[in-house]
Amino acid sequence: MSKMTVEVVTPERVVYSGQAEMVIARGVVGDLGILPNHMPLVSPLKTAPVRIKTEGEKEVRMAVSGGFMEVRGDKVTILAETAELPGDIDVERAQAAKARAEKRLAEKYPDLDFQRAERALQRAMARLDVTK
């Protein structure tokens, strides 16, 4: 099977760089499955897990928050605000953040920044998803 180069970059560092058979990411209009020789594309990404299928059943999973995916030729570049591999994630902290965000959203305070709480919840859920 042919491969493509995949890079996941945040403002701080290159989180992943390697060859892959497929990339699965959540764009604003739904899940995107990118195979080698995909047509050129730029898509904003939602806060969600990204899966990079490297070979056969092997895959790298990471929690990605915000940013864009660009597909050009045989290269996929994900420019994200944050991207964390399972080993970088503190599961207890993510569980606590999820519980805090859910509590905030349930209480419906009039001065609650709903979008901020919603984003915190999405980040925590993406982190927990990739650590399973």
Side-chain angles (χ1 to χ4, degrees):
M1 189 172 198
S2 62
K3 294 213 175 183
M4 58 197 163
T5 303
V6 178
E7 275 198 346
V8 180
V9 184
T10 67
E12 288 81 41
R13 66 192 178 113
V14 174
V15 179
Y16 177 86
S17 181
Q19 296 291 300
E21 293 176 351
M22 186 176 189
V23 176
I24 300 160
R26 184 155 307 147
V28 288
V29 292
D31 285 353
L32 298 163
I34 308 297
L35 294 165
N37 304 311
H38 191 284
M39 65 180 199
L41 167 87
V42 173
S43 173
L45 294 178
K46 287 200 155 184
T47 296
V50 167
R51 295 164 49 207
I52 300 167
K53 294 191 171 285
T54 53
E55 208 166 349
E57 293 300 303
K58 288 188 198 142
E59 68 175 31
V60 174
R61 292 168 57 90
M62 62 186 71
V64 170
S65 170
F68 290 84
M69 175 167 64
E70 179 186 32
V71 180
R72 191 183 304 167
D74 270 338
K75 183 161 189 196
V76 175
T77 307
I78 293 176
L79 302 165
E81 289 166 33
T82 65
E84 299 163 291
L85 293 161
D88 301 335
I89 295 168
D90 179 334
V91 175
E92 280 178 22
R93 222 175 113 205
Q95 284 168 334
K98 178 176 182 271
R100 260 196 324 273
E102 285 172 337
K103 184 170 180 271
R104 261 190 229 126
L105 289 167
E107 286 167 349
K108 293 187 170 64
Y109 284 123
D111 63 345
L112 172 71
D113 183 341
F114 187 82
Q115 286 177 320
R116 190 167 159 227
E118 189 72 26
R119 282 195 304 268
L121 180 59
Q122 288 169 350
R123 273 196 306 274
M125 286 170 57
R127 285 178 175 135
L128 293 170
D129 190 310
V130 299
T131 57
K132 283 185 188 131

